[in-house]
Amino acid sequence: MGSAGAVPVSIWGPFAGYGTRGRHVSWLINEQGERADALRDIVAARFERREIPRATVEPVKLVRQGVLVDTRPYFLIRRGLTTAGLYIARFGQDLFVSQVTYFKGPISSMRILILAAALLFALIYPVVYNNAFSQIGVSLFGGVGGDLEGLMLLTCCLGPIYLLDWLALGILALFSGYKWLTVKDVLAALRVPPNEFDIDDTVALEKSVEQTVREALDAVGIEQRLMPQAAESGFRRRLI
């Protein structure tokens, strides 16, 4: 279906690095496959005419994950943290149109502060502990000099926190590495879900892309009613 070539190997999926998938809708229009190329050209021109605010439109070839995999031509429409992918291709004698949305959550300032505090504690604690330990002295007659209570506090109270801190940082490093290998996003742990403004912007972009395709259908002689408006917009709702 509309392959644009093949590549030997790809470790990431076609939309790796673009965030979390939201809405994915598609249409199959009977007996209109020969108009796929013309529709793509007109859609590209319509995007330039529509001038979606703060958006960029780029034709790219996305690669499937795996070995000896195919590529497919997409329009990627990016606006802020949202990316809409549009695929138009011939499917036998029919015309296939697919639209998918991905959202890359914003970086949380609170999570950055927590991470910075954890790193700072992991670096400062050994220095403070070694300094306190070096001030402890033992005499030949069994006497102990220095701030022994402070050393005990560092050992018994802050010591376990120090170990847990490094454990958390290690888990974060492993999780970040896993996210890089799977979705090409090393900062995934610092991202937060979309807020209401983000959802509004995403829905507006989805509607704009869909309407652009519907208008282009008229230009190639295909009735818009053959591509009914998608029932859902934005992000899929989860019960849990």
Side-chain angles (χ1 to χ4, degrees):
M1 180 195 294
S3 177
V7 296
V9 63
S10 175
I11 64 174
W12 290 299
F15 284 92
Y18 292 100
T20 303
R21 185 172 65 186
R23 187 186 73 157
H24 190 178
V25 294
S26 57
W27 299 266
L28 187 68
I29 303 177
N30 293 335
E31 304 296 332
Q32 300 295 336
E34 72 279 358
R35 303 186 184 184
D37 292 337
L39 181 61
R40 276 195 297 267
D41 294 339
I42 294 178
V43 165
R46 293 276 178 169
F47 276 134
E48 294 181 2
R49 183 186 306 178
R50 183 173 289 276
E51 296 182 352
I52 302 173
R54 303 189 307 279
T56 60
V57 181
E58 180 184 8
V60 298
K61 293 181 180 180
L62 299 183
V63 184
R64 187 197 302 269
Q65 184 181 27
V67 179
L68 297 178
V69 291
D70 62 315
T71 64
R72 293 184 180 181
Y74 268 78
F75 289 104
L76 290 187
I77 305 93
R78 304 177 188 176
R79 185 176 188 271
L81 300 171
T82 303
T83 300
L86 177 64
Y87 177 61
I88 301 172
R90 180 169 184 165
F91 187 67
Q93 296 300 316
D94 303 326
L95 174 65
F96 181 73
V97 179
S98 175
Q99 181 180 331
V100 63
T101 305
Y102 278 79
F103 180 82
K104 201 168 189 177
I107 300 296
S108 169
S109 57
M110 180 59 66
R111 295 186 183 185
I112 291 179
L113 290 176
I114 294 174
L115 176 60
L119 289 172
L120 188 63
F121 179 75
L123 295 175
I124 290 179
Y125 177 82
V127 177
V128 175
Y129 183 85
N130 290 334
N131 183 57
F133 185 80
S134 64
Q135 295 179 6
I136 300 298
V138 180
S139 68
L140 295 176
F141 302 100
V144 178
D147 187 6
L148 184 59
E149 293 182 357
L151 181 62
M152 294 298 294
L153 176 64
L154 289 173
T155 303
C156 299
C157 296
L158 296 183
I161 297 177
Y162 174 73
L163 295 177
L164 291 175
D165 186 38
W166 271 111
L167 177 62
L169 291 174
I171 293 175
L172 176 62
L174 291 175
F175 178 79
S176 299
Y178 168 76
K179 283 297 185 179
W180 170 254
L181 291 175
T182 55
V183 296
K184 204 177 181 180
D185 186 8
V186 72
L187 300 178
L190 301 179
R191 301 190 185 279
V192 294
N195 58 36
E196 288 75 10
F197 288 0
D198 296 325
I199 295 175
D200 284 343
D201 291 344
T202 298
V203 172
L205 181 62
E206 290 175 343
K207 292 294 186 181
S208 181
V209 172
E210 182 179 335
Q211 187 60 27
T212 299
V213 178
R214 289 170 56 82
E215 292 175 358
L217 289 177
D218 281 338
V220 297
I222 301 176
E223 297 181 15
Q224 288 191 18
R225 65 178 181 83
L226 298 178
M227 181 181 163
Q229 293 186 359
E232 297 182 359
S233 297
F235 299 92
R236 293 173 294 180
R237 297 180 180 178
R238 297 181 179 178
L239 297 179
I240 300 177

